[in-house]
Amino acid sequence: MRGYAPASPDNKYPHRYLTMPTFKAPVRDINFVLNDVLNVGQLAEFERYADATPDIVEGVVDEAAKLIENQIAPLNQAGDTVGAQFKDGHVEMVDGFKEAFQAYAENGWMGLSADPEYGGQGLPFVLSKAVEDMLCAGNVAFALYPGLTQGCYEGLEANASDEIKATYLEKLANGEWAGTMCMTEPQAGSDVGAVKTKAEPQDDGSYLLNGGKIFISSGQHEMTPNIVHFVLARLPDSPPGVKGLTTFVVPRKLVNADGSVGDDNGVSCVSIEEKMGLHGSCTCTMQYDNARGWMVGKPNQGIQSMFVMMNKARIMVGMQGLGQCELATQTAIRYAQDRVQGKPLTGGDDVPIIAHPDVRRMLLTMKAITEGARVMAYETSLYEDISVASPDEAQREAASDWVELGTPLTKAFCTDAAVELGSLAIQVYGGHGYIKEHGVEQILRDSKILCLYEGTNGIQAMDLVRRKIKMKGGALPQRFFDKVEAELETYAGDAPEVADALRTALAALKDGTAWLQQQLKDDPDAAGAGAVPYQRAFALTWLGMNWLRMAAKAKVLPDDAFKQGKLATAKFFAAAILPEVGSLCSSIQRNASLTMDLPAEAFLAA
Ligand SMILES: Cc1cc2nc3c(=O)[nH]c(=O)nc-3n(C[C@H](O)[C@H](O)[C@H](O)COP(=O)(O)OP(=O)(O)OC[C@H]3O[C@@H](n4cnc5c(N)ncnc54)[C@H](O)[C@@H]3O)c2cc1C
């Protein structure tokens, strides 16, 4: 809905200027990133992805865009205002969610990258992420239902016995059943080693689970006849901490020998949370009372099982952030093109606010971050595909290193950016952005959780600094530096301003990396204090490389607004945003030791 809202009994505020966010999938940019910048067509050379030719890729993006724009995005506002409800022990979905889930499943989107042996389409992971990018922009709360189902599928696929796989995987891949990931307990948030839920072995090889979980997304609903829970628990004789965790599959309803849905299992939802945003997604408190489960993987190796699926789950949350960045950006741009207010600084009549330099600064920042982050998120996903599909062992290993490095960066940067851009979108709307009827403040409310779940962004920074930059003697960041240098070699002549800024940023990042690697040995607290700013500096340098490549690839496109947008935004990113890397990397070296000086009790001195 755009323009002045008509006076009607439903419209309490006819004087207000309403532009509800209407999502339009960024199909052209997605295809540009997939095909021109990252050349995902290279995957078709691997036997596993022989079908992923450029025309198939474009067809998939087009078809998914239609379903998301027409059926799923229109439910976004009702998801927020009505939300999932807990009534008489059951979770009620927002009208239309069940039908949308079924349409998404029946059209094969749930199992797009799942193994054909289990009913999936076997297409590349990066393509499924492109679809997820659009889905999370259209309706991020809805996206959690298929997202958790895929997460559960991945956890079982990587770790479960053939029998468990045969029972569950196909039904998860085709969306007949939904899934969850159940880790968190009141005392076990970031520290999953504190999980207490108990699993007692039974004579028939199954386990009885007792205990409770909190904050379980999609924990209960009636959209599917069964829900498959991937649960972290503890065996009776297990050692304390993370070394005593084991994973289990616990279906909401037991599965009969013929695969049909049987009796209730002892797993129930006792309440759902009232949240700041993401209202369409139910966040459940779960209770296990002698719930029957089956071990997934080996005893006391739950943490290893989880690590296998964690990269994918974290990339998924990165895509949620990216989607919200896209929604914030396109919504703010449309509003700024429409909203007339004030005269230009150079004089003349009233103009749409997009004429004002400060509004342009905000919009260009949003565009630069969103489109740059898209390349980072897709590239990490592309490396995931190469790491499993390449016949060359060295290439597989290099790709896997990239996934290790890219995962915390994608998760943390895209989700922090969603909050930053959600806030900027409100700023572009002015006071109207703070009013619910416009729908733009929903983006900020929906986005904040993305920085918190699946490992807070502080935990991502710890992963980056304490594990990834020292793994293999520092080989992972070195691969990144080498790649940036190679891209500079290839493309510097196409975008010299971007290349110059990128060279400066890269030098600062190398310096910051060497300093942190040293602090990990000398002063771990100093490394911990610098971790989050360093994470941003790293991601911004990656975006610098992305804008260099985008500028070079855009240069050869036919002259039009898309090309103009790419070339101008690349220069803006290099001039206005990339220099932040230098100040971030020098500030962590100057400030880090100071962070620990103040005694904890002096923080709130009366
Ligand atoms: C809406 C919603 C949906 C969720 N969905 C799921 C789900 O489907 N399944 C599931 O299992 N869980 C889910 N969660 C739980 C979520 O993953 C946890 O809330 C998250 O892991 C953080 O744990 P916590 O809330 O206990 O925070 P804490 O762990 O108490 O963290 C508090 C603060 O301390 C910091 N911190 C903690 N430890 C460290 C450390 N070692 N180093 C540096 N900083 C540290 C954190 O970064 C954070 O800033 C969900 C939560 C919400 C709110």
Side-chain angles (χ1 to χ4, degrees), residues 468-508:
K468 306 298 167 64
I469 68 167
K470 67 173 196 186
M471 266 166 82
K472 300 186 180 177
L476 276 56
Q478 191 56 49
R479 278 193 202 284
F480 176 81
F481 303 150
D482 293 346
K483 170 90 174 171
V484 178
E485 270 154 12
E487 301 293 49
L488 276 164
E489 185 95 359
T490 311
Y491 298 118
D494 293 311
E497 303 96 327
V498 184
D500 285 348
L502 180 57
R503 271 192 209 96
T504 308
L506 181 62

Side-chain angles (χ1 to χ4, degrees), residues 5-73:
S8 78
D10 299 336
N11 180 10
K12 287 182 286 175
Y13 308 107
H15 60 287
R16 284 192 187 147
Y17 190 81
L18 285 177
T19 48
M20 300 304 299
T22 23
F23 172 64
K24 185 98 189 69
V27 169
R28 180 144 182 215
D29 196 47
I30 288 174
N31 283 325
F32 174 71
V33 174
L34 289 173
N35 297 322
D36 300 37
V37 183
L38 297 177
N39 180 25
V40 297
Q42 63 184 289
L43 292 174
E45 288 163 21
F46 304 142
E47 198 186 331
R48 179 177 175 139
Y49 294 133
D51 292 343
T53 53
D55 51 326
I56 293 281
V57 168
E58 289 199 12
V60 164
V61 173
D62 278 349
E63 283 308 308
K66 280 184 210 151
L67 174 69
I68 293 163
E69 284 176 357
N70 298 331
Q71 190 170 357
I72 301 176

